[in-house]
């Protein structure tokens, strides 16, 4: 059994100033140590949900609970929940190693320890040799890897990924997906991924939550075995097609 | 090699422009026979500079000290004041408009007040210099701090960083390019402020700064000496501006587009 917490979204409502409703009674549970993907049309509330889980937004009603193995609610210490945004959001004047180590620096970890821990995740993210470079000297894919490494440096119990591959090309996206899968398997963090890509969701997740107009439309368990998913296989294509149909149904679109 | 060519392309055009202007000035004065009381030739001004170099050098150092101190005070107050105003919405609505209006009050009219408050001499010159130079730094600091990427602020919010930590590690570094623009403007203004302060509060005799040299030379109809002092005050301003520009470039050249675009423009 995973030592990471499960995440329970309980009747989440969120209405922004101006009356726009981002979430309307969203409830579902992320299994401990699992990788859950949320897909849905733009504006359906995916990112709001992620931001509430990260503590960047407050729900109008409802709550998110981090549930331990014994079923009790756990208080999350600083750094236990990490968020990787759509954009790398790196500090341009800081070297890669200092960007990655930033969460540890803000948590008061000593320079020697934070550099050692940053070096470890930099290696895991395939960024060896880039430690002393500035963000401007990196490609888009490398910057995103730095952002991913920064999210992982605190060894979070819960990892939130907000379309981390949306700003890179298809080939880099596939490479990054491999990285995400590898770090998730290594860290065992309970992971919530927001994505627009159905094939990415099928490749990475064990559960896919399909959202529609601020609500959960359906929850789809991925039937393929984790870690051995081949994007070129017939099974993978069938799974993608099945999720596409669910997504189209949620969006009220008829697939040809 | 490419860097050397780039440097030559940057440095040579202004030098050529200065040489051409001085030559045209010299020839025009010779050709028209304008009285040296109205417009002395550059060669005469250069000779005056050389003949009075000890006195002028001392005057230049005194004015430079006043301008440097005024600039330092303006820089410190501008950055601290701007940070406080940017952080407190009530101050932004109340103090900032007031500061905008106050900076429109002519310094020459205000400078005598400094004499009343601070007496004759260096303190008044420093105060005048600081007052005229503080607003660009204040405005640039507020603009810079308010323009920090909200996405980067969220990184700090996620980590539970305090406002003070965020100011030190994000807001201030991210605002450096904007603040440096304010400091560059303040560098030139601080010399103007120091000279005006010296006009109203100066100390004469052997210890006179450039502002007093100008006033004394004007009364003695020594136009060549006026020009010499003006040239030296311009050099003080140029050096201060140059040093601030170089420091700014060193701080941001690796990561900010402003430093790179200056190179592009100069090409």
């Amino acid at each position: 059994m995973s030592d990471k917490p499960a995440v329970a979204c309980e009747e989440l409502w969120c209405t922004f100033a101006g009356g726009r409703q981002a979430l309307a009674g969203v409830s579902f549970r992320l299994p401990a140590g699992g990788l859950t993907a949320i897909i849905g049309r733009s504006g359906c509330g995916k990112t709001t949900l992620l931001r509430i889980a990260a503590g960047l937004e407050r729900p109008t009603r409802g709550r998110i609970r981090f549930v331990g193995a014994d079923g009790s609610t756990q208080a999350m210490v600083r750094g236990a929940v990490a968020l990787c945004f759509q954009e790398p959001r790196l500090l341009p004047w800081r070297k890669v190693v200092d960007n990655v180590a930033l969460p540890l620096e803000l948590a008061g970890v000593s320079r020697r320890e934070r550099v050692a821990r940053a070096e470890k995740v930099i290696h895991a993210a395939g960024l060896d040799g880039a430690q002393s470079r500035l963000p401007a000297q990196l490609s888009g894919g490398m910057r995103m890897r730095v952002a991913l490494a920064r999210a992982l440096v605190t060894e979070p119990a819960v990892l939130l990924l907000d379309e981390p591959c949306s700003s890179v090309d298809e080939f880099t996206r596939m490479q990054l997906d491999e990285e995400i899968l590898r770090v998730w398997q290594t860290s065992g963090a309970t992971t919530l991924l927001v994505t627009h890509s159905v094939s990415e969701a099928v490749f990475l997740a064990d559960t896919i939550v399909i959202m529609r107009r601020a609500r959960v439309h359906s929850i789809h368990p991925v039937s393929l075995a984790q870690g051995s998913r081949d994007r070129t296989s017939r099974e993978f294509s069938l799974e993608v097609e099945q999720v596409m149909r669910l997504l189209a149904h949620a969006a009220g679109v008829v697939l040809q | 090699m490419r860097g050397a060519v780039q440097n030559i392309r940057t440095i040579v055009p202004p030098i050529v422009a200065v040489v051409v202007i001085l030559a045209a000035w010299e020839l025009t004065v010779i050709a028209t026979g304008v009285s040296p009381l109205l417009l002395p030739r550059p060669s005469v001004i250069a000779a005056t500079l050389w003949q009075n170099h000890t006195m002028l050098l001392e005057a230049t150092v005194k004015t430079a000290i006043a301008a440097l101190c005024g600039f330092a005070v303006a820089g410190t107050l501008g950055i601290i004041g701007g940070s406080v105003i940017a952080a407190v919405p009530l101050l932004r609505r109340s103090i900032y408009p007031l500061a905008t209006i106050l900076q429109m009050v002519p310094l020459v009219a205000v400078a005598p007040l400094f004499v009343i408050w601070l007496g004759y001499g260096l303190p008044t010159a420093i105060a005048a210099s600081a007052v005229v130079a503080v607003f660009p730094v204040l405005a640039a600091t507020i603009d810079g701090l308010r323009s920090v990427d909200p996405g980067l602020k969220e990184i700090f919010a996620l980590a539970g960083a305090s406002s003070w930590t965020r100011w030190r590690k994000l807001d201030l570094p991210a605002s450096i390019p904007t603040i440096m623009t304010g400091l560059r403007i303040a560098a030139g203004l601080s010399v103007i402020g120091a000279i005006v302060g010296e006009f109203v509060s100066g100390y004469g005799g052997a210890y006179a700064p450039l502002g007093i040299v100008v006033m004394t030379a004007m009364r003695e109809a020594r136009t060549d000496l006026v020009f010499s002092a003006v040239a030296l005050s311009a050099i003080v301003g140029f050096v201060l501006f140059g040093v601030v520009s170089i420091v700014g470039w060193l701080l941001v050249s690796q990561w900010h587009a402003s430093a790179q675009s200056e190179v592009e423009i100069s090409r």
Side-chain angles (χ1 to χ4, degrees):
Chain A
M1 182 176 280
S2 172
D3 61 338
K4 308 296 180 193
V7 181
C9 302
E10 297 174 349
E11 272 297 300
L12 284 175
W13 291 74
C14 185
T15 309
F16 289 123
R20 189 176 78 79
Q21 193 150 61
L23 297 175
V26 169
S27 295
F28 68 92
R29 190 181 174 100
L30 275 66
L35 199 161
T36 304
I38 303 181
I39 57 174
R41 296 183 79 164
S42 298
C44 70
K46 307 184 295 289
T47 295
T48 304
L49 180 63
L50 212 65
R51 291 174 63 82
I52 289 174
L56 290 174
E57 303 277 355
R58 291 175 73 87
T60 317
R61 249 194 300 154
R63 64 176 179 169
I64 286 189
R65 280 199 310 130
F66 299 98
V67 186
D70 59 355
S72 63
T73 300
Q74 290 185 343
M76 287 288 109
V77 294
R78 190 182 291 177
V81 180
L83 171 59
C84 184
F85 295 93
Q86 282 181 40
E87 325 80 34
R89 300 195 185 184
L90 305 177
L91 305 189
W93 56 90
R94 282 183 169 236
K95 293 173 184 170
V96 164
V97 66
D98 294 325
N99 262 295
V100 172
L102 181 66
L104 298 175
E105 187 180 330
L106 296 176
V109 176
S110 70
R111 167 100 191 145
R112 179 180 288 187
E113 188 187 336
R114 65 178 185 252
V115 168
R117 285 170 67 178
E119 294 276 4
K120 207 170 125 190
V121 285
I122 284 169
H123 173 70
L127 287 162
D128 283 327
Q131 286 91 329
S132 299
R133 290 204 224 161
L134 290 169
Q137 297 165 324
L138 304 176
S139 67
M142 286 174 87
R143 278 180 223 168
M144 216 51 239
R145 280 183 197 184
V146 175
L148 192 61
R150 181 180 59 194
L152 293 166
V153 78
T154 55
E155 296 171 8
V158 178
L159 179 62
L160 309 168
L161 304 168
D162 186 7
E163 298 182 50
C165 306
S166 63
S167 58
V168 295
D169 62 82
E170 192 60 29
F171 185 69
T172 311
R173 173 193 283 261
M174 285 195 285
Q175 281 184 318
L176 271 173
D177 284 346
E178 299 278 357
E179 300 285 350
I180 290 169
L181 192 62
R182 199 156 50 83
V183 296
W184 170 67
Q185 285 170 337
T186 313
S187 70
T190 304
T191 303
L192 182 59
L193 165 76
V194 164
T195 178
H196 272 116
S197 164
V198 172
S199 73
E200 184 175 73
V202 170
F203 181 74
L204 291 172
D206 40 33
T207 307
I208 297 175
V209 176
I210 295 153
M211 287 188 69
R212 174 181 186 259
R213 291 185 189 167
R215 291 181 167 82
V216 172
H217 172 269
S218 53
I219 296 177
H220 174 80
V222 179
S223 58
L224 304 173
Q226 263 291 10
S228 59
R229 294 176 187 178
D230 179 2
R231 289 177 197 267
T232 59
S233 71
R234 180 171 163 69
E235 291 77 17
F236 189 88
S237 301
L238 287 172
E239 192 74 28
V240 168
E241 190 183 324
Q242 202 177 347
V243 177
M244 285 292 282
R245 287 192 186 285
L246 282 170
L247 192 61
H249 182 254
V253 177
V254 178
L255 282 185
Q256 298 297 316
Chain B
M1 185 64 189
R2 184 181 284 181
V5 172
Q6 180 61 45
N7 288 339
I8 289 167
R9 280 183 180 177
T10 308
I11 293 165
V12 168
I15 291 174
V16 170
V18 168
V19 170
V20 168
I21 288 167
L22 290 177
W25 179 354
E26 182 88 21
L27 292 173
T28 306
V29 172
I30 292 169
T32 57
V34 175
S35 164
L37 284 175
L38 289 176
L39 189 64
R41 285 181 283 132
S43 57
V44 172
I45 295 166
T48 305
L49 267 169
W50 177 247
Q51 285 155 15
N52 300 281
H53 68 272
T54 309
M55 179 269 285
L56 285 171
L57 192 63
E58 279 185 24
T60 304
V61 169
K62 286 184 176 65
T63 299
I65 288 170
L68 198 61
C69 292
F71 174 76
V73 171
T76 309
L77 288 180
I79 293 171
I80 293 172
S83 300
V84 173
I85 291 172
V88 184
L90 182 65
L91 289 180
R92 209 164 54 236
R93 288 195 297 272
S94 56
I95 301 289
Y96 190 44
L98 196 67
T100 312
I101 293 165
L102 283 177
Q103 62 100 23
M104 292 172 193
V105 177
L107 176 66
V108 181
V110 180
L113 281 175
F114 297 134
V115 179
I116 294 169
W117 293 334
L118 303 169
Y120 289 94
L122 186 64
T124 290
I126 292 173
S129 169
V131 163
V132 80
V134 74
F135 188 76
V137 186
L138 186 89
T141 304
I142 293 169
D143 282 353
L145 292 172
R146 295 201 68 204
S147 309
V148 176
D149 182 354
L152 295 179
K153 288 181 183 177
E154 286 188 343
I155 298 286
F156 283 71
L158 265 174
S162 66
S163 302
W164 168 240
T165 302
R166 200 189 77 190
W167 183 83
R168 285 188 299 125
K169 294 181 187 290
L170 171 67
D171 296 348
L172 191 62
S175 305
I176 283 175
T178 318
I179 293 173
M180 291 314 299
T181 303
L183 286 173
R184 278 204 296 270
I185 297 168
L189 288 177
S190 65
V191 180
I192 296 172
I195 297 278
V196 171
E198 288 163 1
F199 280 170
V200 294
S201 77
Y203 26 99
Y207 304 103
L210 284 175
I212 296 305
V213 171
V214 169
M215 297 297 278
T216 311
M218 182 195 74
R219 288 190 197 109
E220 293 171 356
R222 291 284 312 277
T223 315
D224 53 340
L225 197 54
V226 173
F227 268 102
S228 302
V230 168
L232 288 171
S233 63
I235 288 170
V236 172
F238 181 78
V239 169
L240 197 52
F241 179 88
V243 169
V244 174
S245 297
I246 289 168
V247 170
W249 186 83
L250 288 173
L251 286 173
V252 306
S253 63
Q254 293 293 308
W255 60 272
H256 196 261
S258 64
Q260 283 142 27
S261 63
E262 277 174 20
V263 175
E264 289 300 321
I265 290 163
S266 65
R267 277 176 191 166

